[in-house]
């Protein structure tokens, strides 16, 4: 498994992932409104309004970056958890890792397909935002469930 990271990355991954999920839930409960970390950032593509003079590439804009930090925490944390070796990396773990990845992709796109058919307008956009994280979340949940329910498994 050349693409797996050392097991020592799993603990920081869990910290980032759980922190990001909790902060993301808190931010979504507050309708994504927060001025906690407002700063100037580089925007590759900027559409401030419907007026052409506000369109542009490579603009410096003022933005609250809390949501970006939360997304970075969830993605990096989730990837560290998903792609860090277990203490004992055997054939069972490899098969479970692959099966969990397949499950995550199938469930993710099933949710997206159902949402596309039955959910509309801004609610659909919220589903798309959450859908960015469902492959990581489903993989982590299924992988850990299968591994830790195995009789005789010790971490």
């Amino acid at each position: 498994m050349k693409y797996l990271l050392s097991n020592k990355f799993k603990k920081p991954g869990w910290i980032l992932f759980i922190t990001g999920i909790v902060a993301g839930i808190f931010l979504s409960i507050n309708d994504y409104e927060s001025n906690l970390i407002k700063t100037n950032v580089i925007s590759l593509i900027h559409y401030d309004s419907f007026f052409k003079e506000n369109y542009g590439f490579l603009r410096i804009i003022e933005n609250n970056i809390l949501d970006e930090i939360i997304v970075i925490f969830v993605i990096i944390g989730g990837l560290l958890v998903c792609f860090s070796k277990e203490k004992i990396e055997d054939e069972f773990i490899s098969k479970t890792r692959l099966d969990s990845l397949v499950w995550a992709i199938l469930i993710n796109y099933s949710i997206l397909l159902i949402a596309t058919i039955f959910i509309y307008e801004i609610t659909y956009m919220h589903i798309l935002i959450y859908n960015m994280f469902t492959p990581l979340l489903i993989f982590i949940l299924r992988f850990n469930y299968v591994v830790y329910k195995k009789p005789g498994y010790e971490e």
Side-chain angles (χ1 to χ4, degrees):
M1 294 290 183
K2 296 177 185 174
Y3 59 86
L4 294 178
L5 300 168
S6 168
N7 180 263
K8 68 181 179 182
F9 289 102
K10 194 169 278 272
K11 188 178 282 187
W14 276 114
I15 292 168
L16 287 172
F17 186 70
I18 292 169
T19 302
I21 294 289
V22 170
I25 290 168
F26 180 75
L27 194 64
S28 70
I29 288 171
N30 291 315
D31 292 327
Y32 305 101
E33 294 296 323
S34 173
N35 289 323
L36 207 58
I37 310 174
K38 204 164 205 170
T39 186
N40 288 335
V41 294
I42 298 171
S43 175
L44 292 179
I45 302 170
H46 183 66
Y47 297 109
D48 191 17
S49 69
F50 291 111
F51 303 111
K52 288 267 188 206
E53 62 267 7
N54 291 329
Y55 286 7
F57 297 96
L58 288 172
R59 302 268 176 130
I60 295 179
I61 62 168
E62 187 176 51
N63 186 43
N64 173 29
I65 61 169
L66 181 61
D67 51 343
E68 285 84 3
I69 291 171
I70 291 170
V71 168
I72 289 167
F73 274 31
V74 172
I75 291 173
I76 291 176
L79 289 173
L80 289 175
V81 170
C82 290
F83 292 104
S84 292
K85 291 180 183 177
E86 293 295 306
K87 287 189 179 179
I88 299 171
E89 192 72 31
D90 58 11
E91 290 176 13
F92 169 75
I93 297 294
S94 294
K95 182 176 178 349
T96 304
R97 191 179 304 280
L98 179 61
D99 290 347
S100 298
L101 182 61
V102 170
W103 269 62
I105 296 303
L106 290 174
I107 291 171
N108 180 66
Y109 281 102
S110 297
I111 291 168
L112 186 58
L113 185 61
I114 291 167
T116 301
I117 295 168
F118 295 111
I119 299 175
Y120 305 98
E121 298 175 1
I122 194 69
T123 306
Y124 182 72
M125 291 304 294
H126 289 277
I127 297 294
L128 290 179
I129 290 168
Y130 299 134
N131 200 251
M132 288 189 306
F133 308 111
T134 52
L136 289 171
L137 185 62
I138 294 166
F139 175 89
I140 289 168
L141 290 173
R142 185 184 187 276
F143 177 79
N144 286 298
Y145 174 76
V146 171
V147 167
Y148 294 121
K149 81 165 188 145
K150 178 185 176 198
Y153 179 80
E154 296 179 17
E155 187 171 358

